[in-house]
């Protein structure tokens, strides 16, 4: 669970490269008009068989893996389509962070803008962390967001985040929340803009009034 600047919890290894967003969140779960229930669709074809029964051998279906919060995954995680539902489904399932050698570019932006932490590490570190995650006795991992370090039983290494993404993680902000921290500057800019060009203020409202 998140405590101050440390994200820690049970990890699971998902050693699949090029796991795309269609696999993370299949299309049949995109019909709703809100985010509710997406945890049921997460990795559906990996978690369930053709008869809709849970696959007992899939890592996230094992009883001892309940409460997994960190995934250690293969390269190019989240490639494919831009569906944001993949991020929301991971979060609803309880995943707070994914550690991998690389991520799909759009998925990376979607995740970081929604407070799903993504950590990129060299493949050698990922291999060691996957081995740690595969054993229950060494599956606990910690990500220090303030000092930008990640630790498992056999790995203690640094990682990088942009200043903006680090701030969002530390302050619990999504992209809308971050934008709202600049509300005074936005309002001041708007006031200056409207003073210099008053004809553009409330154009839609004035047009509706004029047209009755």
């Amino acid at each position: 669970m998140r405590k101050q600047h440390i994200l820690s919890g049970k990890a699971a290894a998902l050693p699949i490269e090029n796991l795309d967003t269609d696999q993370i969140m299949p299309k049949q779960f995109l019909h709703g008009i809100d985010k509710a229930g997406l945890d049921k669709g997460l990795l559906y074809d990996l978690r369930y068989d053709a008869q809709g029964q849970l696959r007992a051998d899939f890592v996230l279906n094992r009883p001892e893996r309940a409460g997994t919060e960190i995934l250690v995954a293969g390269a190019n995680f989240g490639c494919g389509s831009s569906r944001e539902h993949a991020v929301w489904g991971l979060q609803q399932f309880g995943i707070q962070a994914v550690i991998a050698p690389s991520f799909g570019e759009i998925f990376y932006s979607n995740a970081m803008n929604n407070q799903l932490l993504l950590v990129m590490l060299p493949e050698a570190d990922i291999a060691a962390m996957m081995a740690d995650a595969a054993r229950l006795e060494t599956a606990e991992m910690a990500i220090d967001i303030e000092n930008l370090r990640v630790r498992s039983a056999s790995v203690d290494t640094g990682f990088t985040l942009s200043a903006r993404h680090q701030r969002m993680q530390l302050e619990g902000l999504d992209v809308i929340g971050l934008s709202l921290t600049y509300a005074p500057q936005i309002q001041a800019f708007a006031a200056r803009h409207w003073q210099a060009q008053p004809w553009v203020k409330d154009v839609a409202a004035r047009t509706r009034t004029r047209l009755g």
Side-chain angles (χ1 to χ4, degrees):
M1 60 185 296
R2 186 79 60 90
K3 291 184 178 179
Q4 298 177 353
H5 62 278
I6 304 289
L7 189 159
S8 62
K10 186 189 302 182
L14 199 60
I16 304 172
E17 295 190 353
N18 304 309
L19 189 65
D20 64 39
T21 52
D22 298 355
Q23 295 168 287
I24 297 170
M25 185 56 60
K27 62 183 181 303
Q28 64 266 35
F29 297 96
L30 309 183
H31 298 305
I33 60 174
D34 58 21
K35 302 178 184 178
L38 291 173
D39 55 321
K40 298 174 184 176
L42 181 71
L43 300 167
Y44 188 85
D45 293 328
L46 294 174
R47 291 170 56 210
Y48 294 88
D49 62 22
Q51 287 71 46
Q53 301 299 311
L54 283 171
R55 299 179 189 271
D57 59 343
F58 183 63
V59 60
L60 294 179
N61 290 341
R62 298 171 190 164
E64 65 272 18
R65 295 292 179 172
T68 292
E69 295 178 292
I70 300 172
L71 287 182
V72 185
N76 203 25
F77 185 91
C79 57
S81 70
S82 61
R83 61 189 66 174
E84 204 166 6
H85 304 71
V87 172
W88 300 333
L90 285 161
Q91 291 175 308
Q92 289 181 22
F93 194 80
I95 304 300
Q96 296 194 50
V98 183
I99 305 172
S102 57
F103 296 93
E105 184 177 357
I106 298 175
F107 177 84
Y108 186 90
S109 295
N110 284 340
M112 298 302 289
N113 285 342
N114 281 279
Q115 278 241 286
L116 176 66
L117 178 60
L118 303 186
V119 174
M120 282 188 281
L121 294 177
E123 291 191 359
D125 289 334
I126 294 296
M129 296 186 82
M130 278 194 180
D132 290 339
R135 298 187 297 272
L136 283 176
E137 62 272 19
T138 57
E140 289 288 324
M141 298 185 183
I143 304 171
D144 185 334
I145 302 166
E146 184 172 53
N147 297 300
L148 299 178
R149 294 201 71 81
V150 59
R151 300 179 181 90
S152 70
S154 63
V155 176
D156 184 344
T157 188
F159 66 97
T160 60
L161 281 181
S162 70
R164 175 171 69 94
H165 288 149
Q166 185 181 26
R167 179 192 172 191
M168 290 169 70
Q169 288 289 328
L170 289 171
E171 297 182 18
L173 300 170
D174 61 14
V175 70
I176 296 174
L178 179 65
S179 298
L180 290 175
T181 66
Y182 297 99
Q185 295 95 314
I186 293 169
Q187 291 163 1
F189 172 84
R192 292 193 304 271
H193 179 64
W194 290 333
Q195 185 176 19
Q197 287 122 168
W199 58 88
V200 299
K201 184 176 182 180
D202 298 329
V203 172
R206 288 189 284 110
T207 299
R208 286 197 301 270
T209 300
R210 179 166 54 83
L211 295 176

